[in-house]
Amino acid sequence: MSVLSKPYFHDEAAAFAHLEGVLWPEGPVCPHCGSVSGKHYDLRKTRLGLRKCSDCRKQFTVKVGTVFESAHIPLNKMLQAVYLMTSSKKGISAHQLHRVLEVTYKSAWFLAHRIREAMRSGDLSPLGSLGGTVEVDETYIGRVEGVPKQRSGGAHKNIVLTLVERGGSARSFHVDSTSIADIIPVVKENIVRETAIMTDTASTYKNMNKEGHFASHDTVNHIKDEYVRREGEKVITTNTVEGFFSIFKRGMKGVYQHCGEKHLHRYLAEFDFRYSNRSALGCEDGERTSRALGGVKGKRLKYCQSPCAQ
């Protein structure tokens, strides 16, 4: 049976039951007071998923306190959107969601941003390990808002810094510039000291390991058409992070086409999430969807707070 044939994609009552199983594995928890009492009143005959807390006397559903709270789209359609976004390697546009889910474009656009918010892991643990390798590079995407299009050269584009652990996850940042002050602190805060670092020969990284902060720092010289170099068993390259950028740019230019600077951090979270939970790491579409649903709790994104609504 294919994943999309699951009942919770087509029946809203089943969708509530599925999300409750993901977020409440030990039973209902009141999002208002945290009560885990088994005495919650069951009001599901009144409204799908509705319960009432016997302690604080407030009503709630499993959507309260999640990115789905106050959404007017049926929950089964929102779960379909989560699956479509997590299983599409380069993403799926809001227009496509609007057509597939049969909701308005504005609703599809906002739902996609809710799901991207759920994909933001918030994991602060550094990448790398003893004997591990992390590749570091930056790229340019879109343009800085307020800069005329005819003047939007490289200096006026948004800068994305990405750290990719070989055989592991990716972590991307929207930074202000490629200066040492903006790049190096991010690198040092997000990579453990025992890790081998690989970059290109950009001047920003020249003295990155001067104080021996990392296990080693090797570079490849792209100016001289050097992309891979072997030193014994060590393979010195930045092709892994370049591969990440390839997927990222194909998605941003071919699927989304335009991304405002104010929303770039959420698109980065989306591409980081799919890369860090890819099939090569044993995470297939169904598991990836479940992991995304696990991130909906404790996050809210209101349309009235979005710059697009102002």
Side-chain angles (χ1 to χ4, degrees):
M1 183 170 63
S2 67
V3 176
L4 276 176
S5 64
K6 298 285 187 181
Y8 50 80
F9 285 133
H10 306 285
D11 179 75
E12 192 169 14
F16 269 98
H18 179 70
L19 189 59
E20 288 174 1
V22 173
L23 301 185
W24 296 339
E26 304 298 327
V29 179
C30 176
H32 303 294
C33 68
S35 170
V36 295
S37 170
K39 300 178 182 179
H40 295 152
Y41 302 110
D42 190 341
L43 304 178
R44 286 178 289 181
K45 289 184 179 180
T46 304
R47 197 179 82 205
L48 281 175
L50 186 63
R51 287 179 168 83
K52 183 176 180 179
C53 179
S54 59
D55 291 335
C56 68
R57 314 295 293 180
K58 292 182 179 180
Q59 295 183 350
F60 65 93
T61 71
V62 70
K63 295 195 301 181
V64 175
T66 74
V67 296
F68 297 137
E69 183 173 348
S70 298
H72 299 294
I73 303 173
L75 183 58
N76 58 303
K77 290 191 175 185
M78 291 194 286
L79 296 190
Q80 287 183 46
V82 175
Y83 174 79
L84 291 169
M85 288 187 67
T86 56
S87 62
S88 303
K89 189 171 184 177
K90 295 184 288 292
I92 180 170
S93 69
H95 272 294
Q96 186 67 14
L97 286 176
H98 144 68
R99 291 190 292 269
V100 171
L101 302 179
E102 297 181 332
V103 297
T104 66
Y105 170 73
K106 185 173 81 170
S107 295
W109 179 90
F110 186 40
L111 175 58
H113 277 292
R114 289 177 187 252
I115 296 169
R116 291 184 186 103
E117 191 68 18
M119 291 177 175
R120 295 178 69 185
S121 67
D123 184 11
L124 299 178
S125 59
L127 302 174
S129 62
L130 179 63
T133 300
V134 173
E135 299 178 14
V136 182
D137 201 3
E138 71 283 338
T139 192
Y140 299 89
I141 191 76
R143 62 188 179 90
V144 177
E145 293 180 356
V147 177
K149 189 173 183 179
Q150 61 270 23
R151 295 180 54 198
S152 59
H156 300 289
K157 290 182 177 290
N158 294 305
I159 303 167
V160 172
L161 171 70
T162 297
L163 320 176
V164 175
E165 183 176 2
R166 289 185 186 171
S169 58
R171 190 172 297 174
S172 301
F173 306 86
H174 179 198
V175 295
D176 292 331
S177 73
T178 57
S179 68
I180 293 175
D182 284 326
I183 298 291
I184 301 305
V186 175
V187 173
K188 290 185 175 181
E189 288 172 9
N190 287 273
I191 302 178
V192 298
R193 297 177 65 95
E194 297 84 0
T195 306
I197 304 297
M198 296 191 182
T199 69
D200 57 25
T201 53
S203 58
T204 304
Y205 307 114
K206 185 176 181 181
N207 296 315
M208 185 172 64
N209 203 33
K210 185 177 181 180
E211 300 175 355
H213 187 87
F214 300 110
S216 63
H217 175 211
D218 296 287
T219 62
V220 287
N221 193 338
H222 291 165
I223 296 176
K224 295 184 177 180
D225 292 330
E226 180 186 49
Y227 295 95
V228 180
R229 187 174 75 255
R230 293 182 179 274
E231 293 183 358
E233 295 183 356
K234 180 186 289 188
V235 180
I236 302 170
T237 182
T238 57
N239 285 349
T240 310
V241 67
E242 294 288 355
F244 173 88
F245 285 147
S246 176
I247 297 171
F248 172 64
K249 288 192 172 183
R250 278 183 288 168
M252 295 302 293
K253 295 180 180 180
V255 177
Y256 297 124
Q257 298 182 22
H258 171 74
C259 168
E261 181 181 1
K262 54 185 172 288
H263 299 304
L264 180 58
H265 63 291
R266 292 198 187 94
Y267 286 93
L268 290 175
E270 176 187 352
F271 283 89
D272 283 351
F273 175 85
R274 280 196 299 264
Y275 186 88
S276 302
N277 296 278
R278 60 193 185 277
S279 296
L281 298 180
C283 183
E284 301 301 337
D285 294 345
E287 175 62 22
R288 199 176 307 115
T289 303
S290 295
R291 292 183 185 183
L293 286 177
V296 304
K297 193 174 182 179
K299 300 174 183 176
R300 284 294 308 277
L301 184 63
K302 298 181 180 180
Y303 189 82
C304 61
Q305 296 173 335
S306 168
C308 189
Q310 297 173 359

